[in-house]
Amino acid sequence: MTDHQVIFMPSGKRGRFATGTPVLQAARSLGVDLDSVCGGRGICSRCQVQPGRGAFPKLGVTIADDALSEFNAVERRYDEKRGLKPGRRLGCQAQVQGDVVIDVPPESQVHRQVVRKEAGGAPIVMDPATRLHMVTVEAPDMDAPSGDLERVKAALAAQWDLHDLRMSPALLRRLQPVLRKGDWQVTVAVNHDEGRIVDLFPGLRTAPLLGLAIDLGSTTIAAHLCDLSTGEVRASGGVMNPQIRFGEDLMSRVSYAMMNPDGDVEMTRAVRETIDALAVDLAGQAGIPPGDVVEAVVVCNPVMHHLLLGIDPVELGQSPFALATSDAMRLAAAEIGLTSVAPGARAYLLPCIAGHVGADAAAVALSEAPDRQDELTLIVDVGTNAEILLGNRERILACSSPTGPAFEGAQISAGQRAAPGAIERVEIDPVTKEPRIRVVGCEYWSDDPRFGPATAETGITGICGSGIIEAVAEMRMAGILDASGLIGSADQVGTPRCESMGRTHAYLLWDGSRDEGERRVLVTQGDIRAIQLAKSALYAGARLLMDEAGVDTVARVRLAGAFGAHISPRHAMVLGMFPDTPLDAVTSAGNAAGHGARMALCNRSARGHVEDLVRRVEKVETAIAPRFQEHFVAANAIPHATAPFPHLPALPDVSFNTASEGRARQRRRR
C-alpha cells in the first residue's frame, strides 16, 4: 500500500502513513498535540485541523487538492449543525490520500502555548498621541447653516486651539446621534500625532482611552492593552502566529508567496484576523468594550510588516532585499484588520531599518537607547530571525541573522514551544552524568518528591527552546559532548544514558517509558546540529558588527525578546551564542520590542525620536558580507574553534571523533 508524508505544524513533526490513515491517528502516533474527547466519532470537534495547499518548498512537499479524503457525511452533519470554519476538517474523519501539511490550530491543542512576552521595561513618560477634549457645540441654526462636523471643529478651535482636524467617514456616521444624545456637549478623542478626530462620546467622558501595543513576531504575536492616561497595562496576551502553517521561518513564507498564487493574500488575511481576535480577547480580559480602543502601535520584522500591510514580500526574498517602504506608517486601524476597535481608531507602524532589520529592531533600539550611552553595548533580539544591534552614542550598527526556529523548539526531535509540561531547565551532574529537569508550569526540579504529583496532569511532553539550550550546554560541561558537537557513546562517556542511534548517539534526558502516557525525551545528534547552526548564525552576526566597529570586546550584552528573556547567560556563553563577555555584564532586556511599542503608544515624542534614530543606524548585510561565512564556520564548535572565552571555566577536553582517530592509527601503522 502506498504511503505518504504527513507534516504537522506548528510542531514540525512528520512521518509516513498509509493511504486511508485518519489524521487523528497519524497525529497520535507522532505525539502531536491534537485534542479529542469523543474518541473519533465526529461529535466533539476538538480535533479540527487546517490542511495546507500548494507548494511548501522549505518542507520539500507540494500539496495536491485531493491530499485528504473528501468531506464525509459526519463532517457535513457537523458543519450543518454547528459550523466548521472555511478549510477546516475533522481530524478523526479526514483520511490521508497524499503528501499533506496539517496545521493544528491553538483551540485544537491540549497544551496551548504559554506565550512568554510579558510587559516590562523602564518607566515611560506619559504623553499619548490621543487625548480627550470636551466641547460645547452650537446647535444648528437655519439662519446660519453649517454642518455638524464644521461646528465641532469650530468648537475645538475656539475652546482648545485645535485646528484643521480630519475625521474618517466611518466615524462621521456616528457624529449626529452622539451630538444629540449629549445635548450638544461632546467629548472628542483627538489624535495629535495626525490631527484627526478618532472618536466621539456624548457629554463628559471620564473613562480613560485605551490603546494596543502589538509585537507581531514570526512565531508569536503578543499585545498589551494600555490605559492612555496612566500607561497601566490593563491586559496582556499572546497567540501563535497563524502564518506558521505556511512556513516556520520568514524565507519559507516568502517562498510560499512566490510559489502559490494569492499566497501573500492568504497570509495577510490570517494574521489580520488573529490580531483583531487578540484585541477582542484583551478587551474582554479588561472588562471593556473593544470599541474603547482608539489606537494601536505595531512592531514587526520586514516580512511581517509587508504581509500585515497587504504587500507581497517577494522582493525581500532576493537581493537587494528592497522594502516597499521603510518609513513609519500612519493609517486607519481597520486597514490592518483591526475592525473590532473604535471605527476611527488609528494605527502607527514603527519604521524599518532595512530589508531584513525591521520595526521590531527599531523598537528595541528605542527601548534600550544605545544612542544615549557611552558604553558599547551588544543587543541581541533572539528569535526565529535574530536582530542584532551594536552601538553607543557615537555610532549604531545593525544586522539580522537567520537563526531559524531551533531556538523556539522547532527542528528538535522532542521539541515543542513553551507549554505546560515542556522541559525548560536542565542540569547534569558532571560526575554521574545524571540529569535533573524543570518544566513549564512547575516550580520543582525533577529530583524533588513534589515534582511527580505537580506534573501528573501535564506529564513531560517535550523540550522547549530554553530547555534545549541548557541541555546542550550542560552536556558540553559534563563531558557528554565534545567541542565539535559529537555525543559520546556509553563507553566513552561512562553512562548508559548515551544510547546508540545507528552511526550516532543520543543522550536520554527523560525516561518517560517508566510512566504511562509520557514520552522519552532524547537529545539527538541532529538536535545538536540544529542548535550549532542557529548559534553559529547568531555569533557570526554579532562578530560581523564588531569587525565593522573595529572592536574585539563589548562592555555589555543585552538579551532581548520573549526567548532571550528566558536564556541563562552562562549556558548561552558555553554554547558560544555571542562573543566572550563577563557573565555579570550579560543581562536580560525582556521583551524590548514590546516595550518599545508601548513607548511609542504612550509617548508621541518617542515616535519622532525613533524615526530620527533609524536614519542614524548603519545596516550591515550578512547575506553578502565575505567574513560572515568565515565566522559562521568557526562558531560551529562549542563554544568556538579559535576565539578565546576567558570568562568561561575550563570545559572538558574530550573528543569522540572515533573515525578520525581510527584513520590516525592506520597512518601510524603505515
Side-chain angles (χ1 to χ4, degrees), residues 128-158:
T130 306
R131 296 175 179 271
L132 291 173
H133 304 274
M134 183 181 174
V135 291
T136 300
V137 181
E138 288 187 10
D141 186 341
M142 290 184 66
D143 293 329
S146 66
D148 285 351
L149 175 58
E150 286 65 39
R151 282 181 281 106
V152 168
K153 288 182 177 180
L156 286 163

PDB file of all heavy atoms in Angstrom, residues 128-158:
ATOM      1  N   PRO A 128       0.603  60.744  25.566  1.00  0.00           N
ATOM      2  CA  PRO A 128      -0.046  59.962  24.499  1.00  0.00           C
ATOM      3  C   PRO A 128      -0.456  60.840  23.322  1.00  0.00           C
ATOM      4  O   PRO A 128      -0.757  62.028  23.473  1.00  0.00           O
ATOM      5  CB  PRO A 128      -1.265  59.358  25.197  1.00  0.00           C
ATOM      6  CG  PRO A 128      -1.561  60.289  26.323  1.00  0.00           C
ATOM      7  CD  PRO A 128      -0.225  60.795  26.788  1.00  0.00           C
ATOM      8  N   ALA A 129      -0.474  60.225  22.161  1.00  0.00           N
ATOM      9  CA  ALA A 129      -0.892  60.942  20.953  1.00  0.00           C
ATOM     10  C   ALA A 129      -2.377  61.260  20.994  1.00  0.00           C
ATOM     11  O   ALA A 129      -2.812  62.304  20.488  1.00  0.00           O
ATOM     12  CB  ALA A 129      -0.563  60.112  19.719  1.00  0.00           C
ATOM     13  N   THR A 130      -3.181  60.370  21.584  1.00  0.00           N
ATOM     14  CA  THR A 130      -4.637  60.543  21.586  1.00  0.00           C
ATOM     15  C   THR A 130      -5.101  61.031  22.949  1.00  0.00           C
ATOM     16  O   THR A 130      -4.823  60.406  23.981  1.00  0.00           O
ATOM     17  CB  THR A 130      -5.340  59.225  21.223  1.00  0.00           C
ATOM     18  OG1 THR A 130      -4.818  58.751  19.968  1.00  0.00           O
ATOM     19  CG2 THR A 130      -6.835  59.427  21.098  1.00  0.00           C
ATOM     20  N   ARG A 131      -5.828  62.156  22.944  1.00  0.00           N
ATOM     21  CA  ARG A 131      -6.312  62.768  24.193  1.00  0.00           C
ATOM     22  C   ARG A 131      -7.788  63.129  24.059  1.00  0.00           C
ATOM     23  O   ARG A 131      -8.315  63.276  22.944  1.00  0.00           O
ATOM     24  CB  ARG A 131      -5.514  64.043  24.514  1.00  0.00           C
ATOM     25  CG  ARG A 131      -4.035  63.793  24.795  1.00  0.00           C
ATOM     26  CD  ARG A 131      -3.301  65.122  24.991  1.00  0.00           C
ATOM     27  NE  ARG A 131      -1.887  64.941  25.282  1.00  0.00           N
ATOM     28  CZ  ARG A 131      -1.380  64.801  26.506  1.00  0.00           C
ATOM     29  NH1 ARG A 131      -2.190  64.843  27.564  1.00  0.00           N
ATOM     30  NH2 ARG A 131      -0.086  64.653  26.679  1.00  0.00           N
ATOM     31  N   LEU A 132      -8.436  63.302  25.200  1.00  0.00           N
ATOM     32  CA  LEU A 132      -9.859  63.658  25.242  1.00  0.00           C
ATOM     33  C   LEU A 132     -10.036  65.163  25.415  1.00  0.00           C
ATOM     34  O   LEU A 132      -9.312  65.793  26.203  1.00  0.00           O
ATOM     35  CB  LEU A 132     -10.552  62.936  26.400  1.00  0.00           C
ATOM     36  CG  LEU A 132     -10.705  61.419  26.259  1.00  0.00           C
ATOM     37  CD1 LEU A 132     -11.247  60.833  27.555  1.00  0.00           C
ATOM     38  CD2 LEU A 132     -11.618  61.062  25.092  1.00  0.00           C
ATOM     39  N   HIS A 133     -11.007  65.730  24.700  1.00  0.00           N
ATOM     40  CA  HIS A 133     -11.323  67.159  24.805  1.00  0.00           C
ATOM     41  C   HIS A 133     -12.842  67.314  24.786  1.00  0.00           C
ATOM     42  O   HIS A 133     -13.490  66.976  23.792  1.00  0.00           O
ATOM     43  CB  HIS A 133     -10.716  67.949  23.636  1.00  0.00           C
ATOM     44  CG  HIS A 133      -9.233  67.781  23.504  1.00  0.00           C
ATOM     45  ND1 HIS A 133      -8.334  68.541  24.202  1.00  0.00           N
ATOM     46  CD2 HIS A 133      -8.494  66.906  22.758  1.00  0.00           C
ATOM     47  CE1 HIS A 133      -7.105  68.167  23.885  1.00  0.00           C
ATOM     48  NE2 HIS A 133      -7.182  67.175  23.008  1.00  0.00           N
ATOM     49  N   MET A 134     -13.402  67.850  25.868  1.00  0.00           N
ATOM     50  CA  MET A 134     -14.849  68.082  25.885  1.00  0.00           C
ATOM     51  C   MET A 134     -15.143  69.481  25.350  1.00  0.00           C
ATOM     52  O   MET A 134     -14.459  70.451  25.689  1.00  0.00           O
ATOM     53  CB  MET A 134     -15.401  67.940  27.293  1.00  0.00           C
ATOM     54  CG  MET A 134     -16.913  68.092  27.342  1.00  0.00           C
ATOM     55  SD  MET A 134     -17.579  67.956  28.985  1.00  0.00           S
ATOM     56  CE  MET A 134     -19.306  68.354  28.654  1.00  0.00           C
ATOM     57  N   VAL A 135     -16.159  69.568  24.497  1.00  0.00           N
ATOM     58  CA  VAL A 135     -16.541  70.860  23.936  1.00  0.00           C
ATOM     59  C   VAL A 135     -18.057  71.020  23.984  1.00  0.00           C
ATOM     60  O   VAL A 135     -18.801  70.039  24.020  1.00  0.00           O
ATOM     61  CB  VAL A 135     -16.071  71.016  22.468  1.00  0.00           C
ATOM     62  CG1 VAL A 135     -14.566  71.123  22.381  1.00  0.00           C
ATOM     63  CG2 VAL A 135     -16.586  69.880  21.596  1.00  0.00           C
ATOM     64  N   THR A 136     -18.488  72.270  23.993  1.00  0.00           N
ATOM     65  CA  THR A 136     -19.902  72.605  23.824  1.00  0.00           C
ATOM     66  C   THR A 136     -20.075  73.125  22.406  1.00  0.00           C
ATOM     67  O   THR A 136     -19.409  74.086  21.996  1.00  0.00           O
ATOM     68  CB  THR A 136     -20.345  73.669  24.836  1.00  0.00           C
ATOM     69  OG1 THR A 136     -20.142  73.156  26.159  1.00  0.00           O
ATOM     70  CG2 THR A 136     -21.817  74.020  24.650  1.00  0.00           C
ATOM     71  N   VAL A 137     -20.923  72.479  21.649  1.00  0.00           N
ATOM     72  CA  VAL A 137     -21.093  72.771  20.226  1.00  0.00           C
ATOM     73  C   VAL A 137     -22.375  73.571  20.029  1.00  0.00           C
ATOM     74  O   VAL A 137     -23.400  73.289  20.658  1.00  0.00           O
ATOM     75  CB  VAL A 137     -21.156  71.460  19.415  1.00  0.00           C
ATOM     76  CG1 VAL A 137     -21.300  71.744  17.925  1.00  0.00           C
ATOM     77  CG2 VAL A 137     -19.909  70.608  19.680  1.00  0.00           C
ATOM     78  N   GLU A 138     -22.301  74.565  19.165  1.00  0.00           N
ATOM     79  CA  GLU A 138     -23.504  75.338  18.865  1.00  0.00           C
ATOM     80  C   GLU A 138     -24.547  74.454  18.191  1.00  0.00           C
ATOM     81  O   GLU A 138     -24.216  73.641  17.328  1.00  0.00           O
ATOM     82  CB  GLU A 138     -23.171  76.516  17.947  1.00  0.00           C
ATOM     83  CG  GLU A 138     -22.391  77.630  18.628  1.00  0.00           C
ATOM     84  CD  GLU A 138     -22.238  78.834  17.714  1.00  0.00           C
ATOM     85  OE1 GLU A 138     -22.906  78.861  16.645  1.00  0.00           O
ATOM     86  OE2 GLU A 138     -21.463  79.738  18.061  1.00  0.00           O
ATOM     87  N   ALA A 139     -25.798  74.605  18.594  1.00  0.00           N
ATOM     88  CA  ALA A 139     -26.884  73.861  17.954  1.00  0.00           C
ATOM     89  C   ALA A 139     -27.079  74.387  16.530  1.00  0.00           C
ATOM     90  O   ALA A 139     -26.743  75.540  16.230  1.00  0.00           O
ATOM     91  CB  ALA A 139     -28.168  74.016  18.762  1.00  0.00           C
ATOM     92  N   PRO A 140     -27.635  73.588  15.646  1.00  0.00           N
ATOM     93  CA  PRO A 140     -27.859  74.047  14.263  1.00  0.00           C
ATOM     94  C   PRO A 140     -28.859  75.200  14.218  1.00  0.00           C
ATOM     95  O   PRO A 140     -29.784  75.271  15.039  1.00  0.00           O
ATOM     96  CB  PRO A 140     -28.386  72.799  13.559  1.00  0.00           C
ATOM     97  CG  PRO A 140     -28.890  71.908  14.633  1.00  0.00           C
ATOM     98  CD  PRO A 140     -28.067  72.194  15.837  1.00  0.00           C
ATOM     99  N   ASP A 141     -28.639  76.088  13.269  1.00  0.00           N
ATOM    100  CA  ASP A 141     -29.496  77.269  13.134  1.00  0.00           C
ATOM    101  C   ASP A 141     -29.766  77.480  11.643  1.00  0.00           C
ATOM    102  O   ASP A 141     -28.836  77.574  10.840  1.00  0.00           O
ATOM    103  CB  ASP A 141     -28.768  78.480  13.728  1.00  0.00           C
ATOM    104  CG  ASP A 141     -29.642  79.727  13.757  1.00  0.00           C
ATOM    105  OD1 ASP A 141     -30.656  79.780  13.020  1.00  0.00           O
ATOM    106  OD2 ASP A 141     -29.291  80.642  14.505  1.00  0.00           O
ATOM    107  N   MET A 142     -31.070  77.584  11.292  1.00  0.00           N
ATOM    108  CA  MET A 142     -31.424  77.752   9.888  1.00  0.00           C
ATOM    109  C   MET A 142     -30.902  79.059   9.321  1.00  0.00           C
ATOM    110  O   MET A 142     -30.669  79.180   8.112  1.00  0.00           O
ATOM    111  CB  MET A 142     -32.940  77.672   9.709  1.00  0.00           C
ATOM    112  CG  MET A 142     -33.495  76.277   9.942  1.00  0.00           C
ATOM    113  SD  MET A 142     -35.256  76.170   9.617  1.00  0.00           S
ATOM    114  CE  MET A 142     -35.301  76.475   7.848  1.00  0.00           C
ATOM    115  N   ASP A 143     -30.706  80.042  10.206  1.00  0.00           N
ATOM    116  CA  ASP A 143     -30.222  81.340   9.728  1.00  0.00           C
ATOM    117  C   ASP A 143     -28.704  81.343   9.516  1.00  0.00           C
ATOM    118  O   ASP A 143     -28.168  82.259   8.894  1.00  0.00           O
ATOM    119  CB  ASP A 143     -30.594  82.435  10.727  1.00  0.00           C
ATOM    120  CG  ASP A 143     -32.103  82.643  10.795  1.00  0.00           C
ATOM    121  OD1 ASP A 143     -32.765  82.438   9.752  1.00  0.00           O
ATOM    122  OD2 ASP A 143     -32.599  82.978  11.881  1.00  0.00           O
ATOM    123  N   ALA A 144     -28.021  80.342  10.118  1.00  0.00           N
ATOM    124  CA  ALA A 144     -26.567  80.249   9.930  1.00  0.00           C
ATOM    125  C   ALA A 144     -26.218  78.803   9.626  1.00  0.00           C
ATOM    126  O   ALA A 144     -25.691  78.081  10.470  1.00  0.00           O
ATOM    127  CB  ALA A 144     -25.841  80.735  11.183  1.00  0.00           C
ATOM    128  N   PRO A 145     -26.589  78.352   8.429  1.00  0.00           N
ATOM    129  CA  PRO A 145     -26.436  76.930   8.101  1.00  0.00           C
ATOM    130  C   PRO A 145     -24.971  76.503   8.029  1.00  0.00           C
ATOM    131  O   PRO A 145     -24.151  77.172   7.400  1.00  0.00           O
ATOM    132  CB  PRO A 145     -27.119  76.810   6.734  1.00  0.00           C
ATOM    133  CG  PRO A 145     -27.033  78.182   6.146  1.00  0.00           C
ATOM    134  CD  PRO A 145     -27.116  79.132   7.295  1.00  0.00           C
ATOM    135  N   SER A 146     -24.670  75.408   8.693  1.00  0.00           N
ATOM    136  CA  SER A 146     -23.350  74.763   8.606  1.00  0.00           C
ATOM    137  C   SER A 146     -23.513  73.330   9.084  1.00  0.00           C
ATOM    138  O   SER A 146     -24.455  73.000   9.819  1.00  0.00           O
ATOM    139  CB  SER A 146     -22.296  75.497   9.445  1.00  0.00           C
ATOM    140  OG  SER A 146     -22.607  75.407  10.820  1.00  0.00           O
ATOM    141  N   GLY A 147     -22.598  72.486   8.692  1.00  0.00           N
ATOM    142  CA  GLY A 147     -22.680  71.085   9.077  1.00  0.00           C
ATOM    143  C   GLY A 147     -22.275  70.868  10.523  1.00  0.00           C
ATOM    144  O   GLY A 147     -21.542  71.663  11.127  1.00  0.00           O
ATOM    145  N   ASP A 148     -22.760  69.746  11.084  1.00  0.00           N
ATOM    146  CA  ASP A 148     -22.411  69.420  12.469  1.00  0.00           C
ATOM    147  C   ASP A 148     -20.901  69.271  12.646  1.00  0.00           C
ATOM    148  O   ASP A 148     -20.334  69.718  13.647  1.00  0.00           O
ATOM    149  CB  ASP A 148     -23.100  68.117  12.904  1.00  0.00           C
ATOM    150  CG  ASP A 148     -24.589  68.315  13.165  1.00  0.00           C
ATOM    151  OD1 ASP A 148     -25.038  69.478  13.173  1.00  0.00           O
ATOM    152  OD2 ASP A 148     -25.298  67.310  13.376  1.00  0.00           O
ATOM    153  N   LEU A 149     -20.224  68.640  11.678  1.00  0.00           N
ATOM    154  CA  LEU A 149     -18.774  68.455  11.794  1.00  0.00           C
ATOM    155  C   LEU A 149     -18.061  69.792  11.801  1.00  0.00           C
ATOM    156  O   LEU A 149     -17.125  69.997  12.592  1.00  0.00           O
ATOM    157  CB  LEU A 149     -18.257  67.595  10.630  1.00  0.00           C
ATOM    158  CG  LEU A 149     -16.730  67.414  10.559  1.00  0.00           C
ATOM    159  CD1 LEU A 149     -16.181  66.785  11.835  1.00  0.00           C
ATOM    160  CD2 LEU A 149     -16.334  66.576   9.331  1.00  0.00           C
ATOM    161  N   GLU A 150     -18.516  70.719  10.969  1.00  0.00           N
ATOM    162  CA  GLU A 150     -17.865  72.025  10.919  1.00  0.00           C
ATOM    163  C   GLU A 150     -18.013  72.761  12.249  1.00  0.00           C
ATOM    164  O   GLU A 150     -17.079  73.433  12.709  1.00  0.00           O
ATOM    165  CB  GLU A 150     -18.435  72.858   9.775  1.00  0.00           C
ATOM    166  CG  GLU A 150     -17.988  72.419   8.379  1.00  0.00           C
ATOM    167  CD  GLU A 150     -18.476  71.025   7.999  1.00  0.00           C
ATOM    168  OE1 GLU A 150     -19.653  70.683   8.356  1.00  0.00           O
ATOM    169  OE2 GLU A 150     -17.704  70.260   7.387  1.00  0.00           O
ATOM    170  N   ARG A 151     -19.181  72.609  12.894  1.00  0.00           N
ATOM    171  CA  ARG A 151     -19.382  73.278  14.189  1.00  0.00           C
ATOM    172  C   ARG A 151     -18.585  72.595  15.311  1.00  0.00           C
ATOM    173  O   ARG A 151     -18.137  73.256  16.242  1.00  0.00           O
ATOM    174  CB  ARG A 151     -20.869  73.339  14.513  1.00  0.00           C
ATOM    175  CG  ARG A 151     -21.563  74.460  13.722  1.00  0.00           C
ATOM    176  CD  ARG A 151     -23.046  74.611  14.004  1.00  0.00           C
ATOM    177  NE  ARG A 151     -23.818  73.592  13.271  1.00  0.00           N
ATOM    178  CZ  ARG A 151     -24.369  72.527  13.837  1.00  0.00           C
ATOM    179  NH1 ARG A 151     -24.247  72.334  15.128  1.00  0.00           N
ATOM    180  NH2 ARG A 151     -25.037  71.658  13.102  1.00  0.00           N
ATOM    181  N   VAL A 152     -18.378  71.265  15.210  1.00  0.00           N
ATOM    182  CA  VAL A 152     -17.500  70.576  16.177  1.00  0.00           C
ATOM    183  C   VAL A 152     -16.066  71.071  16.007  1.00  0.00           C
ATOM    184  O   VAL A 152     -15.370  71.368  16.994  1.00  0.00           O
ATOM    185  CB  VAL A 152     -17.570  69.048  15.979  1.00  0.00           C
ATOM    186  CG1 VAL A 152     -16.455  68.352  16.761  1.00  0.00           C
ATOM    187  CG2 VAL A 152     -18.918  68.506  16.413  1.00  0.00           C
ATOM    188  N   LYS A 153     -15.624  71.205  14.765  1.00  0.00           N
ATOM    189  CA  LYS A 153     -14.275  71.707  14.524  1.00  0.00           C
ATOM    190  C   LYS A 153     -14.109  73.135  15.035  1.00  0.00           C
ATOM    191  O   LYS A 153     -13.067  73.493  15.612  1.00  0.00           O
ATOM    192  CB  LYS A 153     -13.955  71.659  13.026  1.00  0.00           C
ATOM    193  CG  LYS A 153     -13.741  70.265  12.463  1.00  0.00           C
ATOM    194  CD  LYS A 153     -13.381  70.369  10.972  1.00  0.00           C
ATOM    195  CE  LYS A 153     -13.085  69.020  10.357  1.00  0.00           C
ATOM    196  NZ  LYS A 153     -12.732  69.135   8.919  1.00  0.00           N
ATOM    197  N   ALA A 154     -15.152  73.960  14.821  1.00  0.00           N
ATOM    198  CA  ALA A 154     -15.095  75.348  15.295  1.00  0.00           C
ATOM    199  C   ALA A 154     -15.003  75.386  16.819  1.00  0.00           C
ATOM    200  O   ALA A 154     -14.256  76.206  17.387  1.00  0.00           O
ATOM    201  CB  ALA A 154     -16.319  76.111  14.810  1.00  0.00           C
ATOM    202  N   ALA A 155     -15.741  74.501  17.489  1.00  0.00           N
ATOM    203  CA  ALA A 155     -15.700  74.451  18.950  1.00  0.00           C
ATOM    204  C   ALA A 155     -14.319  74.020  19.441  1.00  0.00           C
ATOM    205  O   ALA A 155     -13.786  74.572  20.415  1.00  0.00           O
ATOM    206  CB  ALA A 155     -16.780  73.496  19.466  1.00  0.00           C
ATOM    207  N   LEU A 156     -13.715  73.034  18.777  1.00  0.00           N
ATOM    208  CA  LEU A 156     -12.382  72.578  19.174  1.00  0.00           C
ATOM    209  C   LEU A 156     -11.341  73.673  18.952  1.00  0.00           C
ATOM    210  O   LEU A 156     -10.408  73.827  19.749  1.00  0.00           O
ATOM    211  CB  LEU A 156     -12.000  71.323  18.382  1.00  0.00           C
ATOM    212  CG  LEU A 156     -12.715  70.025  18.804  1.00  0.00           C
ATOM    213  CD1 LEU A 156     -12.582  68.963  17.724  1.00  0.00           C
ATOM    214  CD2 LEU A 156     -12.146  69.509  20.131  1.00  0.00           C
ATOM    215  N   ALA A 157     -11.512  74.439  17.868  1.00  0.00           N
ATOM    216  CA  ALA A 157     -10.576  75.533  17.605  1.00  0.00           C
ATOM    217  C   ALA A 157     -10.728  76.636  18.647  1.00  0.00           C
ATOM    218  O   ALA A 157      -9.732  77.153  19.172  1.00  0.00           O
ATOM    219  CB  ALA A 157     -10.803  76.084  16.202  1.00  0.00           C
ATOM    220  N   ALA A 158     -11.980  76.977  18.972  1.00  0.00           N
ATOM    221  CA  ALA A 158     -12.224  78.081  19.901  1.00  0.00           C
ATOM    222  C   ALA A 158     -11.894  77.698  21.338  1.00  0.00           C
ATOM    223  O   ALA A 158     -11.350  78.508  22.104  1.00  0.00           O
ATOM    224  CB  ALA A 158     -13.683  78.530  19.797  1.00  0.00           C
TER     225      ALA A 158
END
